[in-house]
């Protein structure tokens, strides 16, 4: 007795699948870059300006996998698990495409030396193996809200609600962190 393969008829066709992968790839790369030790912060101004487009892209990115899984021939646990996880992952990837990945690409291509200001949430927390001696900033999405590798002498000067200036390569909307200093 042979096993019967279950297939999902891809309603968008092969070009649609390639387009979807190309849309999510920058977000995955941005997460990989951040977790590899390159500190990147979008400005609070950019996050607030991009909120509505990010929400729209996130909702569409959540609805598409939900719809595809509903149309699939899978039943039971696989389908239920997919219906729970895929929309959340789709929303996260779509929203971060607008808020993180696109501005990161602009910073790499057209960046210059900039200085942006942020508010500290916590500077005394112990980091993990990927982010030693972090300083957490306010208003930046999770996974991108920490500046890693900050020397202890600088961290000792910082506390909640302190303002810091972060400088590095970037644009007026985003910065790859090279240094930081307290500004209040």
């Amino acid at each position: 007795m042979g096993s019967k393969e279950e297939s999902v008829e891809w309603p968008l066709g092969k070009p649609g699948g390639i387009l979807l992968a190309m849309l999510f790839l920058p977000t995955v790369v941005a997460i990989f870059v951040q977790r590899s030790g390159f500190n990147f912060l979008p400005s609070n101004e950019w996050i607030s300006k991009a909120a509505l487009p990010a929400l729209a892209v996130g909702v569409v990115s959540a609805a598409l996998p939900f719809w595809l899984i509903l149309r699939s021939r899978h039943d039971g646990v696989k389908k239920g698990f997919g219906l729970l996880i895929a929309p959340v992952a789709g929303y996260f990837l779509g929203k971060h495409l607008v808020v993180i990945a696109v501005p990161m690409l602009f910073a790499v291509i057209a960046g210059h030396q900039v200085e942006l200001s942020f508010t500290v949430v916590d500077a005394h927390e112990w980091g993990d193996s990927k982010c030693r001696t972090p300083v957490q900033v306010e208003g930046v999405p999770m996974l991108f809200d920490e500046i890693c590798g900050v020397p202890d002498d600088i961290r000792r000067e910082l506390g909640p609600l302190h303002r810091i200036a972060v400088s590095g390569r970037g644009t007026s909307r985003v910065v790859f962190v090279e240094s930081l200093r307290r500004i209040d």
Side-chain angles (χ1 to χ4, degrees), residues 56-67:
V57 171
V59 167
V60 169
S61 298
L64 183 61
F66 186 80
W67 178 66

Side-chain angles (χ1 to χ4, degrees), residues 26-27 30 40 46 96-108 174:
T27 304
F40 174 81
W46 169 251
H96 281 71
L97 174 69
V98 174
V99 174
I100 304 292
V102 171
M104 182 183 279
L105 180 63
F106 281 117
V108 168
V174 295

Side-chain angles (χ1 to χ4, degrees), residues 132-152:
R132 301 272 185 214
T133 61
V135 171
Q136 187 177 15
V137 296
E138 183 177 80
V140 180
M142 187 174 58
L143 294 179
F144 297 92
D145 64 345
E146 291 181 330
I147 304 168
C148 302
V150 179
D152 284 332

